[in-house]
Amino acid sequence: MLESIKSTDTRTDPYKVYLQEDEIPTAFYNVRADMHTAHAPILHPGTLQPVELADLEPVFCTELAKQELNTTDRYIDIPGAVMDFYRMYRPSPLVRAYYLEKALDTPAKIYYKYEGGNTSGSHKLNSAIAQAYYAKQQGLAGITTETGAGQWGTALAMASVYFGLDLEVYMVKASYEQKPYRKTIMRTYGASITASPSDTTNVGRTMLAEYPDSLGSLGTAISEAVEVALASNGTKRYTLGSVLNQVLLHQSIIGLEAKAALEKLNVYPDIVIGCAGGGSNLGGLMSSYMEDRLAGRKAPYFIAVEPASCPSLTRGRFAYDFCDTGMVTPLAKMYTLGHAFMPSPSHAGGLRYHGMSPILSQLYHDGLLDEARSVEQTEVFEAAVQFARSEGTLPAPESAHAIHATIQEALKCRESGEEKVILFGLTGNGLLDLSAYEQYLTGTMSDTIPTDEDLARGFATIPSLPGIQ
Ligand SMILES: *Cc1c(COP(=O)(O)O)cnc(C)c1O
């Protein structure tokens, strides 16, 4: 009997690596300073000229607008007040997925960087803190934003209350109705929330007039939040939780920490995998390894994983498009399904954006981000359940896309006998996604993959810009 309560563990490497607090990186890494081909400039929607600082300043606070345009500084210091907040929940753990390896009977070594341990439940807090800080520093009264699945709104609510800013969140109506607990968290942190489309903005009213039953989209919610910021007489600015260069910059902290932790184990990954919605967690996770690749050193094989229901990298076009449905934002050259593309409702709300970060898009176009894969919802949840049952942590549906690809790669290693090292981003926990898990477990979840005709309707909304595209 006694035998059975003894640990059977004979492993020598630790299960988790936590950096010391004084090892948290003190500067963000700006991959744009090293990219061989800069991404095409972002264009002003009215003049179609590359945007300048003055164009961005009415929308974003000045320091963030500067970061958006910064192609020269490789490292940008993290302000002390941002570091102070990071110390509440960082460093985040780097975990060896021993139990998953065992369940898969694979010789692969699997590591994941877990960003879901804070109350917002995802990596989005890393950028929310920086954005709220710069807004406060500029003396603004408040900020506006949109949220889809709710993780970004929650993260920004936490950051806004910490720095003493008002926050107005436009929440995609489908999520507003399906995710009551997200609203409760945001309100707990003092944010005010409006379901989008709403009758509080011109964009929202136009949308409602045309589609009274619209359940909204991220693109529409963005248009509403931007409109409110622009109408505030300069007292508010808009913030965005993904896609933008500044967000990838802030998320580089994930990759810098992951690399530092793996170096302690003398480990260099062969494969780095991340789910890709707007591209910020993957951009962040791979940043310090992309630095190696861009410098001509060895680098891992990078894989982006997206839902088959919203396949911007795998089936989208690399073209200039608006970042929002209402066409009030600038145009970015990116992989896009067309700004009016409406993905079918899926449970990975964080991956339902029509476009992809211009940085990731350019890296993918240049073959520096090696591969993009799309996966269907039910297989994603199968991977999520397997992960939860073996590793204990309940993953966010978004993160489970990366888990799915990790399992596929680990099973290839089982076939070939290779001991590859896989690093993936576990971007969030799934505690507020239980209705999705319920559907999966009761067999009522379906997969909706857009047909070529569905995609063609979206592509038809990509603007044709004489002389540009
Ligand atoms: C928002 C979100 C994502 C996707 O966004 P990216 O900008 O592509 O990282 C992934 N996972 C979680 C948990 C999220 O909240």
Side-chain angles (χ1 to χ4, degrees):
M1 281 308 282
L2 257 187
E3 213 51 33
S4 67
I5 60 169
K6 267 194 207 157
S7 168
T8 55
D9 191 0
T10 54
R11 297 171 211 282
T12 46
D13 273 355
Y15 282 69
K16 294 189 285 311
V17 180
Y18 286 97
L19 298 177
Q20 297 296 311
E21 287 185 4
D22 61 8
E23 293 172 311
I24 302 177
T26 55
F28 296 122
Y29 169 59
N30 180 16
V31 69
R32 294 178 77 200
D34 287 332
M35 278 169 69
H36 305 162
T37 317
H39 72 65
I42 289 167
L43 303 183
H44 188 283
T47 64
L48 297 182
Q49 294 301 307
V51 293
E52 291 174 12
L53 189 61
D55 300 316
L56 292 179
E57 280 182 309
V59 181
F60 299 115
C61 64
T62 302
E63 203 50 43
L64 292 168
K66 284 184 187 160
Q67 291 183 355
E68 198 55 35
L69 298 174
N70 190 326
T71 54
T72 48
D73 297 321
R74 299 183 64 235
Y75 282 91
I76 294 176
D77 282 344
I78 304 176
V82 173
M83 289 298 295
D84 288 344
F85 197 152
Y86 280 172
R87 281 191 201 95
M88 274 195 227
Y89 70 100
R90 306 202 70 81
S92 73
L94 177 91
V95 187
R96 174 80 183 265
Y98 277 128
Y99 302 102
L100 180 64
E101 290 171 17
K102 195 170 168 201
L104 297 172
D105 190 23
T106 176
K109 294 182 174 151
I110 304 174
Y111 296 85
Y112 60 89
K113 179 78 169 151
Y114 182 43
E115 293 290 326
N118 66 78
T119 297
S120 79
S122 83
H123 66 289
K124 295 214 170 61
L125 190 55
N126 301 329
S127 185
I129 293 169
Q131 295 192 41
Y133 165 78
Y134 289 117
K136 185 65 185 179
Q137 195 204 28
Q138 190 170 323
L140 300 179
I143 48 184
T144 70
T145 199
E146 82 296 331
T147 196
Q151 289 98 324
W152 168 245
T154 309
L156 200 60
M158 291 171 71
S160 297
V161 75
Y162 179 85
F163 289 111
L165 286 168
D166 281 343
L167 172 63
E168 286 166 74
V169 181
Y170 282 83
M171 187 169 187
V172 177
K173 195 178 276 171
S175 305
Y176 186 90
E177 286 167 3
Q178 279 165 17
K179 299 201 163 183
Y181 296 129
R182 280 279 168 206
K183 281 184 282 183
T184 310
I185 307 187
M186 286 188 262
R187 290 215 185 92
T188 302
Y189 289 96
S192 61
I193 308 154
T194 308
S196 166
S198 77
D199 59 8
T200 65
T201 65
N202 291 327
V203 174
R205 283 186 292 269
T206 307
M207 192 65 160
L208 285 174
E210 206 170 330
Y211 307 99
D213 300 327
S214 167
L215 289 178
S217 71
L218 266 187
T220 305
I222 293 174
S223 309
E224 292 205 85
V226 170
E227 187 180 319
V228 172
L230 287 174
S232 72
N233 290 322
T235 62
K236 296 175 191 168
R237 294 291 187 284
Y238 165 72
T239 59
L240 182 62
S242 184
V243 186
L244 298 173
N245 299 332
Q246 53 184 281
V247 183
L248 268 74
L249 176 74
H250 306 148
Q251 296 297 359
S252 67
I253 192 155
I254 304 173
L256 293 164
E257 274 189 13
K259 195 174 190 213
L262 282 174
E263 274 167 5
K264 287 188 187 258
L265 304 175
N266 270 323
V267 167
Y268 196 92
D270 297 301
I271 306 175
V272 170
I273 299 175
C275 62
S280 73
N281 85 82
L282 176 58
L285 179 67
M286 65 182 201
S287 61
S288 47
Y289 293 108
M290 188 55 81
E291 183 177 9
D292 286 348
R293 170 162 293 176
L294 293 170
R297 296 188 288 265
K298 81 164 178 179
Y301 184 81
F302 298 112
I303 306 177
V305 192
E306 60 184 13
S309 58
C310 194
S312 50
L313 281 173
T314 49
R315 292 174 74 196
R317 299 229 171 116
F318 188 47
Y320 268 112
D321 195 8
F322 292 97
C323 297
D324 67 324
T325 313
M327 302 184 286
V328 297
T329 57
L331 294 128
K333 185 154 184 190
M334 58 186 174
Y335 281 87
T336 177
L337 297 166
H339 60 268
F341 177 77
M342 286 276 175
S344 66
S346 88
H347 294 293
L351 306 181
R352 292 184 73 227
Y353 184 64
H354 68 271
M356 183 56 66
S357 135
I359 292 177
L360 276 202
S361 293
Q362 188 66 47
L363 291 171
Y364 183 55
H365 192 68
D366 294 342
L368 293 162
L369 162 58
D370 298 280
E371 185 185 332
R373 270 183 209 177
S374 71
V375 278
E376 293 174 27
Q377 184 159 248
T378 42
E379 39 174 1
V380 164
F381 274 82
E382 188 184 332
V385 168
Q386 179 165 28
F387 184 83
R389 290 181 184 175
S390 48
E391 284 293 314
T393 299
L394 186 79
E398 292 88 349
S399 321
H401 288 70
I403 295 172
H404 182 275
T406 298
I407 292 175
Q408 281 181 324
E409 293 306 307
L411 291 177
K412 279 189 210 160
C413 289
R414 183 167 77 188
E415 293 301 308
S416 66
E418 286 172 291
E419 284 185 29
K420 286 192 179 164
V421 176
I422 304 171
L423 167 66
F424 79 88
L426 188 65
T427 50
N429 75 61
L431 276 174
L432 288 179
D433 297 286
L434 295 182
S435 59
Y437 276 92
E438 183 64 24
Q439 277 194 10
Y440 173 73
L441 295 171
T442 53
T444 51
M445 177 173 277
S446 58
D447 296 311
T448 324
I449 302 170
T451 61
D452 288 343
E453 293 74 56
D454 294 334
L455 291 189
R457 275 195 293 279
F459 292 148
T461 66
I462 297 175
S464 73
L465 309 170
I468 302 173
Q469 73 183 17

